[in-house]
Amino acid sequence: MRRRGRPKCPRRIGKLPQSTFFKPAGIPTKRLEVVVLSFEELEALRLVDLLGLEQEEAASRMGIARKSLWLELKKARKKVAEALTQGKCVEIEGGVYEVADGED
């Protein structure tokens, strides 16, 4: 499927996660729905919710506008909330990103 408008510029992410798949305990994976979280959505969550950065600083680190960061963050929070409240798996994959060297 082809997107309309400008192509998405690569977002800078500090590092790739150690684990890319999470699921509720005690339920076989084949019986669960999967919510896909992109690497840039995870990075937005990490910078704002884990590290406590202001959105302006987080956007700067990712090399995007504050509104773009806000949209990534909004999508990520909705997906995580959906997975936690409805007992779904979270898989982290895909997106348009580049790994930045030397960032935490």
Side-chain angles (χ1 to χ4, degrees):
M1 183 167 87
R2 192 162 178 218
R3 292 180 54 158
R4 298 178 87 178
R6 292 178 47 191
K8 199 173 182 181
C9 70
R11 276 78 164 117
R12 284 193 309 262
I13 62 173
K15 59 184 172 182
L16 295 174
Q18 293 177 344
S19 300
T20 58
F21 193 83
F22 302 88
K23 74 172 211 61
I27 305 170
T29 305
K30 63 184 174 190
R31 290 185 28 211
L32 293 169
E33 289 184 49
V34 176
V35 173
V36 178
L37 191 68
S38 71
F39 286 107
E40 58 259 34
E41 290 167 345
L42 178 65
E43 182 70 358
L45 276 177
R46 185 181 79 84
L47 293 174
V48 175
D49 294 338
L50 182 62
L51 298 182
L53 298 179
E54 295 292 328
Q55 288 187 17
E56 188 72 39
E57 173 65 20
S60 176
R61 283 198 188 189
M62 290 182 70
I64 58 176
R66 189 171 42 93
K67 182 174 181 179
S68 297
L69 175 93
W70 182 82
L71 292 171
E72 298 287 356
L73 191 58
K74 182 179 172 183
K75 288 188 297 186
R77 287 175 173 165
K78 182 175 182 174
K79 290 176 181 182
V80 170
E82 176 186 350
L84 292 175
T85 60
Q86 298 176 11
K88 297 181 179 181
C89 297
V90 175
E91 185 168 14
I92 304 163
E93 68 176 19
V96 180
Y97 65 93
E98 56 190 30
V99 179
D101 294 328
E103 292 189 30
D104 47 337

